[in-house]
Amino acid sequence: MDNAIKTPNRTGILVRALIVLAMCGIVNSAAVFVSPMAKHFGWTTEAIAGVATYMAFMQTPGHILSGWLLGKIGAKKTLILGCILLGLAFLLSGMVPSGSPWMLYITFSVLQGLGVGFTYTGSTYCATGWYPDKRGFASGLCMAFNGGSATFLAPLIVKLIGSIGIIVTLYIVGGAIIVIGICAAIGLKSAPVGYAPAGWKAKADDPKLAATQLESLTPGQAFRTRGYWHLFLGYGLFPTMYIICYPRFSVLISDAGYSLNAATIGVSIYSICNVIGRFGMGALIDKLGYRKVYTICGICSVASSLCLMFANSLAMFYIAYVLLAVGFGATNCCHPVAVQETYGSKYAGGIFGICMLGYMIICTFISPKISSALVKATGSYTASMIYAIIACIIAVIFYTTIPQPKRRTLAEVAAEEKPRRRRPRRPDPRSIIRTPSSPHVCGMAGFPFLRSCRTVSGETDINTKGSILWA
């Protein structure tokens, strides 16, 4: 390619980002820390019941701040800060006094939520920015590492807690996140504006190639477009299926008369399919586009809910697990692609952050209350699942119709921002600005008649013929 820019090895940058994402994926196994801490300190379940919920809530401010810093100070500094915040969350949680369980809401909820937001957004949008030609592939890898790491880390953490105790485990996890995270983040940097990888064999009219030469809109500019609200509703409504169906899998299987072991196998199936689905659907985005892949995800999620509603065998429950794992998990691969194709790469992390307000408002506050009210009113989960199906369909409609805002080419931006040459202003020979060092005769040279003289401060002196002014 003629416009390829000589840059660092993007594969190395992707690998470093994946290491950070794998570590911040530990948030998906937060429960393995909370229960042992309550047991160790003798806390009641009610005292720390909301720790995980508040931690999830604080991720959105972390996404917003991380995306803003990504465009200001770059990926390396943003990720270093995020790894320190995430590591401190575990280190300080191990130092919480036994008589102050409320402090866990600061250490484990606030610091960890911000740390996860920083590391997730910074790593994902740094890595995908280097792959304009394979953005779906890069996004799929990022989501697979982030979503799948808890599957392998959770059993390891459980063994550590059993052998050395919860406090020492918190110190080890916190220290490892800081050390490994900083080492990985040091080699990260954001892709330059207009970046196109060397060797990218694209046609001249390839829309992906043309998009690299368009300006990136800021979060403020994106917020004022109609496309932002399409993303807002997509982020907020689609996960309703997950937050309603996933926690009830074990309950529904048990209520159907199957053993707890059967429910545990279902969770394992979900975890495996979640990782495979994220990677596979991510690669599929490069072939079909994020709109078609998001539609496939919606179909899988709706089918999952229908399987749960009419399940009459263990096989149908397991099919529901697989469909939800593929359907919900893979939508996360669509988000980086949709944001960057719509608004550009430079400020994509910040735009993702403000889009996550939809998730925070709808999924954290509105949908759980509606679901609980429906279950209470009807005495079953059927109405709640119907609500989830409707929310999913609405999300697909809005997400697949995101309008493309008008963006200037980089050449047009450079031409408009080129400083205009100012013509020098000629001094007015009829007025003389007096200075403290020399006297001046008021009036034009050779014509010392009555004339007003302008002083340095802008005041005007009326002077008589031939008068001499001293500052």
Side-chain angles (χ1 to χ4, degrees):
M1 282 190 52
D2 296 335
N3 63 332
I5 301 172
K6 188 176 181 180
T7 54
N9 182 2
R10 65 175 183 168
T11 303
I13 291 175
L14 176 60
V15 171
R16 289 174 181 272
L18 293 178
I19 292 172
V20 176
L21 283 165
M23 289 192 309
C24 74
I26 200 171
V27 68
N28 297 316
S29 57
V32 303
F33 294 100
V34 177
S35 297
M37 276 191 288
K39 184 178 179 180
H40 176 82
F41 290 112
W43 296 333
T44 62
T45 305
E46 291 76 14
I48 57 173
V51 166
T53 302
Y54 281 104
M55 184 265 292
F57 175 83
M58 289 304 300
Q59 287 182 33
T60 297
H63 291 312
I64 295 173
L65 289 172
S66 175
W68 179 74
L69 287 174
L70 202 61
K72 294 289 184 180
I73 62 176
K76 181 173 74 173
K77 294 179 180 178
T78 301
L79 266 298
I80 288 176
L81 179 58
C83 290
I84 292 174
L85 284 173
L86 187 56
L88 284 176
F90 291 96
L91 291 173
L92 296 179
S93 293
M95 302 176 187
V96 170
S98 59
S100 304
W102 61 269
M103 291 185 66
L104 208 61
Y105 286 87
I106 298 175
T107 60
F108 204 82
S109 297
V110 175
L111 289 181
Q112 188 174 180
L114 291 174
V116 169
F118 269 67
T119 51
Y120 178 93
T121 303
S123 300
T124 300
Y125 285 87
C126 170
T128 54
W130 289 98
Y131 285 84
D133 54 333
K134 300 176 182 177
R135 192 163 277 144
F137 166 78
S139 179
L141 271 178
C142 290
M143 297 304 105
F145 268 71
N146 179 254
S149 61
T151 306
F152 307 100
L153 291 176
L156 176 62
I157 291 168
V158 170
K159 288 184 178 180
L160 278 175
I161 294 172
S163 59
I164 62 179
I166 180 62
I167 301 302
V168 178
T169 301
L170 286 170
Y171 292 157
I172 291 174
V173 171
I177 288 175
I178 292 175
V179 173
I180 298 174
I182 290 177
C183 290
I186 286 175
L188 290 174
K189 65 181 299 183
S190 301
V193 176
Y195 168 74
W200 184 6
K201 298 179 180 179
K203 297 180 180 179
D205 58 347
D206 190 333
K208 291 184 180 179
L209 176 60
T212 64
Q213 303 307 307
L214 297 178
E215 67 173 336
S216 295
L217 300 188
T218 65
Q221 292 172 322
F223 182 78
R224 293 190 291 270
T225 66
R226 188 160 56 91
Y228 167 77
W229 298 103
H230 284 242
L231 289 165
F232 179 93
L233 292 172
Y235 283 36
L237 291 173
F238 198 104
T240 301
M241 184 74 68
Y242 172 80
I243 66 171
I244 290 177
C245 294
Y246 182 74
R248 294 178 171 84
F249 270 125
S250 298
V251 175
L252 293 172
I253 289 177
S254 299
D255 290 347
Y258 299 102
S259 65
L260 182 61
N261 185 50
T264 304
I265 293 173
V267 173
S268 300
I269 291 173
Y270 176 89
S271 300
I272 294 170
C273 293
N274 187 22
V275 175
I276 296 173
R278 291 181 182 218
F279 177 73
M281 288 292 196
L284 195 61
I285 290 174
D286 292 327
K287 297 183 179 296
L288 301 180
Y290 75 86
R291 300 175 194 269
K292 292 181 180 178
V293 171
Y294 198 86
T295 303
I296 294 172
C297 292
I299 294 171
C300 290
S301 295
V302 170
S304 170
S305 187
L306 292 173
C307 281
L308 286 179
M309 291 168 62
F310 300 102
N312 54 13
S313 66
L314 187 59
M316 287 192 70
F317 281 109
Y318 288 164
I319 291 172
Y321 266 111
V322 172
L323 289 171
L324 185 64
V326 174
F328 170 71
T331 57
N332 294 289
C333 306
C334 295
H335 298 332
V337 180
V339 171
Q340 292 181 82
E341 286 190 6
T342 306
Y343 297 111
S345 298
K346 185 175 182 181
Y347 306 106
I351 295 171
F352 167 77
I354 61 174
C355 288
M356 282 297 290
L357 289 171
Y359 177 85
M360 184 179 72
I361 294 171
I362 298 176
C363 279
T364 305
F365 295 111
I366 300 176
S367 288
K369 292 182 179 180
I370 293 176
S371 177
S372 298
L374 289 172
V375 172
K376 186 177 180 180
T378 61
S380 70
Y381 296 112
T382 301
S384 180
M385 290 182 185
I386 292 174
Y387 165 70
I389 290 174
I390 294 172
C392 181
I393 293 173
I394 294 173
V396 171
I397 291 172
F398 276 98
Y399 205 95
T400 55
T401 56
I402 300 172
Q404 196 71 27
K406 182 175 177 56
R407 289 193 286 156
R408 300 170 297 174
T409 66
L410 296 178
E412 290 172 341
V413 173
E416 292 178 14
E417 293 181 353
K418 190 176 181 180
R420 298 177 180 178
R421 294 181 179 179
R422 295 184 177 181
R423 299 177 63 180
R425 182 181 295 177
R426 290 185 177 183
D428 187 354
R430 296 174 298 175
S431 62
I432 300 175
I433 300 177
R434 55 180 182 169
T435 64
S437 58
S438 60
H440 299 276
V441 178
C442 290
M444 296 179 62
F447 299 92
F449 50 84
L450 182 65
R451 179 78 55 187
S452 63
C453 291
R454 193 174 62 216
T455 64
V456 175
S457 64
E459 298 173 347
T460 303
D461 291 334
I462 303 298
N463 302 278
T464 57
K465 178 178 176 180
S467 63
I468 298 177
L469 296 181
W470 293 87

